[in-house]
Amino acid sequence: QVQLVESGGGLVQAGGSLRLSCAASGGTFSRYGMGWFRQAPGKEREFVAGISWSGGFTYYADSVKGRFTISRDNAKNTVYLRMNSLKPEDTAVYYCAADVAGRVRTDQALYDYWGQGTQVTVSS
């Protein structure tokens, strides 16, 4: 059973930065496509960024393009989300997810495993 554990969330002022981490265990991380999603209060969970199994392909939601960077370290079984120039509208619970097919997916229904989430709060 694959387990995903997010960390790195917290409270930050607008314009600040955070780096989220998602550590995987119990599976073959290097074969998985990984995604970051977020859910703000009262809203549906939405795609933020994805990265292919090799790290060679990444994809971002328009709302974070140019501000967020997804990366992975297969030797450490970890995927990261670097978030710069944070805005109050980035406030949400951030989740990482794994797709055993190794691809970048924007549809959350296609992901096989999910973490519990980490809270990011951006103050104005």
Side-chain angles (χ1 to χ4, degrees):
Q1 184 71 12
V2 175
Q3 291 187 326
L4 303 174
V5 179
E6 302 95 337
S7 62
L11 174 64
V12 63
Q13 288 188 333
S17 299
L18 283 174
R19 189 181 77 159
L20 306 183
S21 300
C22 171
S25 62
T28 309
F29 176 80
S30 61
R31 296 181 181 178
Y32 300 155
M34 299 297 296
W36 285 97
F37 290 77
R38 67 186 181 186
Q39 187 168 20
K43 295 187 177 181
E44 294 186 352
R45 190 159 57 184
E46 63 177 2
F47 172 81
V48 175
I51 188 167
S52 61
W53 65 272
S54 66
F57 181 75
T58 58
Y59 189 76
Y60 298 90
D62 287 343
S63 59
V64 306
K65 202 172 295 182
R67 300 188 298 121
F68 290 11
T69 302
I70 188 171
S71 61
R72 67 189 297 159
D73 186 338
N74 285 345
K76 295 183 178 180
N77 288 353
T78 302
V79 63
Y80 305 97
L81 186 68
R82 177 69 180 181
M83 306 185 295
N84 296 329
S85 302
L86 282 161
K87 305 174 182 179
E89 51 263 43
D90 294 317
T91 295
V93 178
Y94 283 72
Y95 300 89
C96 69
D99 167 37
V100 299
R103 299 178 180 178
V104 175
R105 314 275 201 178
T106 60
D107 183 350
Q108 60 182 303
L110 297 176
Y111 283 83
D112 301 285
Y113 301 103
W114 290 84
Q116 293 301 306
T118 186
Q119 176 70 46
V120 172
T121 303
V122 184
S123 63
S124 57

